[in-house]
Amino acid sequence: MLTSSARLSCRNAVQQKALHSRSAQTFKAFYATIRSLRQTYEPPEPDDVEPSEKDFILSLLRANPSLRDTKSYLASFGPRPQSPQSPAPKTEERPTLADKDVAAQTETKPPDIKPAPSPVVASILNPVHRRTALVKLQAPFTNRQLESIARGMVYLEKLGLVSVIVVENDQLPKGETGERTFMLEETMRVVNALEAQGARARPVLGAVVRLGPKPGDEDSTEPRDYILPEAHTFPSDLIHIRSALRAGEIPVLPPLALDSFCRSVRVDANDVIAALVRGMGEAAALEDGAVRGEEDSSMSPDEIDLTPLRLMIITREGGVPSYARQGLPHLLINLTSEYTYIRETFDPRWKPAHPTALSNLELARTCLAFMPPTSSAVMVSHRSPSHLIGNLITNKPAVSSSLPHALLQGNRRLTPHTPTLLRRGLPIHVLRSVDQIDKGKMKALLEKSFRRKLNEDAFWARMERDLDFVIVAGDYAGAAIVTREPCPPGTPTAIAPITYLDKFAVLPSHQGDGTVDFLWVALHDETYGLGHPFSANPNGGKEGKGEGRDLVWRSRADNPVNKWYFERSTGHLRQGDWVLFWCDAEVRLKTEEGRRANAGSSYLLEWEKGRLGTWCDVVMKIPSSWKPKN
């Protein structure tokens, strides 16, 4: 056995060895830390980026926003200008303290109190102005489908759009035993899916809307073209939603409402969403009025604008089927002028695959009536979460509705899952005489759009002589002026007279809001698209009846809009400082293709001979409508 002194010496030796080992490990860790700090940063390889981050970046690139789209996005989500701060009062000079006094004050200062961050630094670190979107999640969805949807919601949150989600399940009949428990479980599934994608979500399981029309709605005599929601809410009812948004969480709600006995009952999700859109807009207006009354009207980075900017209806059905696309979805809908006609032309054979298309169309019309004019709604399939980003950044449909069908191929190819963008839109009217035109408004539109002074006497004299029709969007927010230009004697009737697009103008304030596409589609229906069944739109024009005519127009060679014209025209011809564009009558092209069958088309058909020469000779001699530049 070891003596006590021997055991003591062994214990000391072991302790010293352990101490030396810990010192060595501490030094190695310290050295590794310093070394890592001194190493230069190397960006990760593409394969090292998380798949979700790759998808997010690719979705941004696919959106391909224009300069106008980018400015519009920054106007909605960019940093808000801060109000000028009053100069800080001059501090009184204090006597210099000794080192001991400074040390004493430093020691007595509580360690948990941190100085407030500079407003400038806060604006740089948090530059996104957060906005809200109402989302209808029309279940049932599988876990995989829910994962895809949640990823899209997370992408939108990164870009500043925070979703308020209402969950619905159409396969669960109302009044069934246990429906409340089932809807709460469905709500928690959505919350778990969002959190699995890295988002913070909060289930709001209590009712936040009340059944019945809002007090005062029944007595209102204000004309409206939408159906009032069957539920309502007050600003005080939104406390849970506002709290979740301020905490950076996505609120998820079941479709519940309080009845007259203050019982929480299941209702249609459309009523909940419509009531929330109206209530959140009214609450935001009250908050904005309160803020304007204060001296410092700048919004805190933790605040969020409750005014809904988007309505998103996510289903397994996709968009609204279109009679013009053989059941494939509409790309862009002008609810003001197309709503009734879309309902009338909805084929009953589409009902099994799109059982809620018309009710969701009605929901979009009601909600957009309470949302800002720049807002939009999108009906999208669970298969297309990346389209939500494109819609947010560009506020445009996935594919322009004014493009020819022949160009809808490849990446632009339409599928049953192509989303439908819906806008409140503007009424479209076709005027057939100069007497129907408001000359003052038309002059203002043309001069603002072209940034030139109109030579009024010569312009209106020419309109009196050659006008065919004018398409007007809204209260002269846009217009397309078409004339019938006479040709030399002996010109074949297939060419003469020339259907000439004299002016195509949209107010700068409406550029990018869909008015351009609405106008061009109406122009197509009245000229080179005549004769097609899908040109029968009720806008006061020919409603698809008649024979299509070639549409011809000219544009300056340096006009930045020419790229847009190139995509929509059948052909073009450069003539010095000008480019001549045309669109062939579509029915005639179809007839020719059917007649020739598999023989194909020759380079120059019989009816085409001489028309380019005639067009150039006539169109290039049309006098300018503008006064000379000073």
Side-chain angles (χ1 to χ4, degrees):
M1 295 180 63
L2 294 174
T3 64
S4 59
S5 60
R7 285 198 299 270
L8 183 59
S9 62
C10 289
R11 187 182 299 115
N12 292 336
V14 171
Q15 289 177 349
Q16 290 178 359
K17 185 176 181 181
L19 182 61
H20 177 75
S21 176
R22 285 197 298 270
S23 299
Q25 291 176 359
T26 303
F27 177 78
K28 289 180 180 179
F30 175 77
Y31 177 76
T33 303
I34 296 300
R35 185 180 179 185
S36 65
L37 290 175
R38 295 184 63 183
Q39 286 178 346
T40 57
Y41 170 75
E42 295 181 2
E45 295 294 328
D47 292 339
D48 295 335
V49 181
E50 290 293 331
S52 59
E53 295 297 330
K54 285 184 180 179
D55 294 341
F56 178 62
I57 295 170
L58 287 174
S59 299
L60 291 174
L61 295 175
R62 290 194 192 101
N64 192 24
S66 65
L67 180 60
R68 183 184 293 119
D69 298 333
T70 305
K71 289 180 178 178
S72 177
Y73 169 78
L74 292 176
S76 297
F77 295 92
R80 290 294 180 265
Q82 300 292 326
S83 59
Q85 300 291 334
S86 57
K90 296 182 178 180
T91 58
E92 297 180 1
E93 295 184 0
R94 297 182 179 180
T96 306
L97 299 177
D99 294 342
K100 293 182 180 180
D101 296 332
V102 174
Q105 287 192 3
T106 305
E107 290 175 0
T108 57
K109 184 177 180 180
D112 57 340
I113 296 180
K114 298 179 180 180
S118 165
V120 177
V121 174
S123 67
I124 293 174
L125 296 179
N126 186 19
V128 176
H129 177 64
R130 295 186 299 161
R131 307 293 296 271
T132 55
L134 262 295
V135 179
K136 178 186 179 183
L137 207 56
Q138 195 166 301
F141 295 110
T142 65
N143 290 336
R144 180 69 175 173
Q145 293 167 349
L146 210 53
E147 175 187 344
S148 175
I149 295 169
R151 191 180 304 120
M153 298 294 101
V154 173
Y155 291 169
L156 294 178
E157 188 180 25
K158 290 180 179 179
L159 292 170
L161 190 71
V162 185
S163 303
V164 178
I165 302 175
V166 179
V167 182
E168 178 63 291
N169 192 318
D170 294 327
Q171 293 187 357
L172 181 66
K174 291 182 176 61
E176 191 166 301
T177 304
E179 64 172 348
R180 180 184 177 89
T181 302
F182 183 86
M183 290 307 304
L184 296 182
E185 291 175 352
E186 195 72 20
T187 301
M188 293 308 301
R189 280 188 68 218
V190 176
V191 171
N192 293 333
L194 289 167
E195 292 181 341
Q197 296 298 321
R200 297 171 59 194
R202 180 189 297 187
V204 181
L205 303 181
V208 296
V209 303
R210 306 163 188 255
L211 273 179
K214 188 174 182 179
D217 282 347
E218 296 177 349
D219 301 329
S220 175
T221 58
E222 180 184 353
R224 51 179 174 263
D225 59 354
Y226 57 89
I227 299 176
L228 285 171
E230 293 294 327
H232 66 280
T233 187
F234 296 108
S236 58
D237 299 327
L238 303 174
I239 184 171
H240 298 295
I241 292 177
R242 187 184 286 108
S243 172
L245 294 173
R246 285 175 176 170
E249 298 172 334
I250 299 176
V252 185
L253 296 75
L256 302 176
L258 290 176
D259 63 8
S260 57
F261 297 99
C262 291
R263 296 174 302 187
S264 180
V265 296
R266 182 190 174 198
V267 296
D268 194 313
N270 288 7
D271 292 328
V272 177
I273 291 173
L276 284 176
V277 167
R278 184 181 187 181
M280 290 171 64
E282 292 172 348
L286 290 175
E287 291 180 357
D288 185 58
V291 169
R292 288 180 186 275
E294 299 176 0
E295 293 183 0
D296 185 8
S297 61
S298 58
M299 183 176 287
S300 166
D302 295 331
E303 293 294 328
I304 186 167
D305 191 343
L306 280 181
T307 308
L309 192 66
R310 295 283 191 278
L311 170 67
M312 301 179 184
I313 304 171
I314 304 177
T315 70
R316 296 188 301 173
E317 305 170 17
V320 182
S322 169
Y323 59 91
R325 305 186 189 278
Q326 294 77 46
L328 290 175
H330 280 273
L331 296 173
L332 178 64
I333 293 179
N334 180 350
L335 287 168
T336 299
S337 64
E338 299 178 44
Y339 175 81
T340 302
Y341 194 65
I342 289 175
R343 293 187 67 93
E344 292 174 351
T345 57
F346 189 85
D347 195 324
R349 292 174 296 179
W350 300 334
K351 188 70 175 177
H354 302 271
T356 62
L358 294 182
S359 62
N360 286 331
L361 184 71
E362 183 179 306
L363 171 65
R365 184 173 71 155
T366 298
C367 290
L368 288 174
F370 296 107
M371 295 166 69
T374 56
S375 300
S376 63
V378 60
M379 295 174 60
V380 64
S381 165
H382 64 276
R383 298 174 181 266
S384 308
S386 62
H387 285 300
L388 298 177
I389 289 183
N391 167 251
L392 174 63
I393 297 177
T394 66
N395 207 10
K396 295 178 181 177
V399 183
S400 175
S401 59
S402 60
L403 282 174
H405 291 263
L407 289 184
L408 301 181
Q409 305 294 330
N411 293 335
R412 292 172 168 175
R413 185 171 60 89
L414 298 186
T415 71
H417 302 286
T418 301
T420 297
L421 184 71
L422 305 99
R423 285 185 172 277
R424 189 188 308 177
L426 299 167
I428 303 294
H429 301 291
V430 179
L431 311 179
R432 295 286 174 185
S433 69
V434 176
D435 296 337
Q436 296 176 291
I437 302 174
D438 187 320
K439 293 184 179 180
K441 292 181 178 179
M442 179 64 76
K443 173 179 179 290
L445 166 63
L446 295 178
E447 292 185 344
K448 287 181 181 178
S449 178
F450 288 91
R451 299 177 183 177
R452 300 279 302 273
K453 287 294 182 181
L454 187 68
N455 187 352
E456 292 187 68
D457 293 339
F459 176 76
W460 292 117
R462 184 167 166 272
M463 291 298 106
E464 291 282 358
R465 183 182 68 248
D466 299 328
L467 180 67
D468 189 359
F469 62 88
V470 178
I471 303 173
V472 177
D475 189 19
Y476 289 82
I481 301 176
V482 178
T483 60
R484 296 178 70 85
E485 300 297 329
C487 296
T491 303
T493 55
I495 300 175
I498 298 173
T499 301
Y500 176 67
L501 177 60
D502 189 85
K503 295 288 183 292
F504 188 83
V506 175
L507 285 176
S509 58
H510 284 268
Q511 292 175 6
D513 68 355
T515 303
V516 171
D517 282 330
F518 297 147
L519 265 180
W520 193 269
V521 170
L523 179 65
H524 162 274
D525 294 345
E526 293 299 310
T527 54
Y528 63 98
L530 270 178
H532 276 305
F534 55 77
S535 295
N537 292 313
N539 52 21
K542 296 182 179 180
E543 299 187 1
K545 301 173 184 177
E547 182 180 353
R549 301 282 302 178
D550 299 333
L551 179 67
V552 185
W553 71 99
R554 69 183 182 184
S555 175
R556 290 282 182 183
D558 57 354
N559 189 344
V561 183
N562 285 347
K563 178 181 180 296
W564 197 83
Y565 287 151
F566 287 138
E567 293 181 328
R568 283 149 186 80
S569 62
T570 306
H572 67 277
L573 180 67
R574 295 187 180 274
Q575 292 286 299
D577 295 336
W578 295 91
V579 181
L580 181 77
F581 294 94
W582 70 90
C583 290
D584 288 312
E586 292 179 348
V587 171
R588 186 178 63 223
L589 288 181
K590 287 287 184 182
T591 304
E592 187 64 26
E593 289 176 4
R595 185 181 68 82
R596 297 184 63 85
N598 296 329
S601 298
S602 62
Y603 287 103
L604 187 65
L605 299 178
E606 187 65 30
W607 50 268
E608 292 180 298
K609 292 181 178 178
R611 68 172 186 167
L612 281 180
T614 303
W615 288 346
C616 291
D617 183 53
V618 173
V619 169
M620 294 305 165
K621 292 179 181 178
I622 295 175
S624 173
S625 305
W626 311 108
K627 291 181 179 179
K629 293 182 179 180
N630 295 330

